[in-house]
Amino acid sequence: MFATLLHEIPLQGGDVTDGVVRVGDTVRRPTTPSTPAVHALLRHLEAAGFGGAPRVLGFDELGREVLTYLPGTTGVSLLSITDEALADLARLLRRFHDATEGLPLDLDGWAAGSNDDAPPEVIGHCDLTPANVVFSGGAPYAMIDFDQARPTTRLFDMVTTLRHWAPIADPVDRHPLLRGVDVGERLRLFCDAYGTPPRERRRLLEVARLRFHRSYAVMRTRAASGGSWARMWAGGAGERIRRASAWLDAHEDGLRDSLV
């Protein structure tokens, strides 16, 4: 049991989990129904030698999980949007997926959410937004906030990542630094760095469309229960998904040409 002896510093940036704080060189997070499964994943990653995730240290006297703090920066910046950073992110995701192999995919307690129709292959992070990628020296080296992790396909987790990092989004909803990028070239670059085979590249846009449809339905249902999901929905999350789907439809031919 870890006592809280130092000053708590609120950590902002994520959309879903409230009450995350830094205490010294640790992070304290409220537990969720998926916490036991996430801890099994993090311990598996540690045993596999994957250095790009926090370590589980236990629980504090308030019942919060205690994880190691990973120093660095998160969010969109001039350094985070470079081709080199995108390729590094793809390689980080590939190492993560490879490291999850061997962890049973039928563990109870994984987060519910949208998914692929194909059988699961790995444990996906499923929420690798800029807020959940830690950079140091201009390069991404770790991922945080595994509350949405669940069994899925490699391609589905790639799509959830590219949704934010390519990004597959209407320009009006992109970060200003990403409004002028060539999304097709960024999709190709990411797939090259990850090592995505041609058959999966041909399916990527189909899976992206599937994800838009299903994530819209999931978010609408969760918003009805209130809390952070309701705030996200009220803030226009549903409309952003709809615009992204329409943008994908309008630009599919050019994106496909870049991919294959």
Side-chain angles (χ1 to χ4, degrees), residues 47-103:
F50 178 73
R55 305 307 189 205
V56 178
L57 299 178
F59 299 90
D60 67 11
E61 76 281 4
L62 299 179
R64 300 175 298 188
E65 64 173 341
V66 182
L67 307 172
T68 54
Y69 173 75
L70 300 178
T73 60
T74 61
V76 176
S77 68
L78 284 171
L79 288 176
S80 75
I81 67 169
T82 64
D83 288 352
E84 293 79 6
L86 186 66
D88 286 340
L89 178 61
R91 287 186 281 265
L92 175 65
L93 184 63
R94 175 62 186 263
R95 292 196 301 274
F96 165 67
H97 286 162
D98 289 348
T100 71
E101 292 183 349
L103 182 68

Side-chain angles (χ1 to χ4, degrees), residues 21-183:
V21 300
R22 178 183 176 186
V23 180
D25 59 358
T26 69
V27 172
R28 315 294 173 98
R29 297 169 51 89
T31 60
T32 70
S34 67
T35 296
V38 170
H39 283 192
L41 169 62
L42 294 178
R43 290 189 173 106
H44 177 87
L45 294 174
E46 181 178 9
F50 178 73
R55 305 307 189 205
V56 178
L57 299 178
F59 299 90
D60 67 11
E61 76 281 4
L62 299 179
R64 300 175 298 188
E65 64 173 341
V66 182
L67 307 172
T68 54
Y69 173 75
L70 300 178
T73 60
T74 61
V76 176
S77 68
L78 284 171
L79 288 176
S80 75
I81 67 169
T82 64
D83 288 352
E84 293 79 6
L86 186 66
D88 286 340
L89 178 61
R91 287 186 281 265
L92 175 65
L93 184 63
R94 175 62 186 263
R95 292 196 301 274
F96 165 67
H97 286 162
D98 289 348
T100 71
E101 292 183 349
L103 182 68
L105 299 179
D106 57 356
L107 288 177
D108 292 332
W110 294 114
S114 58
N115 219 322
D116 200 347
D117 286 330
E121 304 164 328
V122 296
I123 303 300
H125 184 283
C126 296
D127 194 27
L128 211 56
T129 67
N132 291 334
V133 177
V134 185
F135 281 73
S136 180
Y141 82 96
M143 51 184 72
I144 56 176
D145 191 352
F146 288 79
D147 285 352
Q148 299 303 309
R150 54 188 179 268
T152 188
T153 63
R154 291 173 180 264
L155 185 60
F156 189 86
D157 206 21
M158 289 176 60
V159 165
T160 67
T161 303
L162 287 166
R163 162 81 171 98
H164 304 281
W165 289 94
I168 307 175
D170 188 296
V172 72
D173 296 316
R174 299 178 197 168
H175 188 282
L177 292 175
L178 289 166
R179 285 181 184 150
V181 298
D182 186 329
V183 175

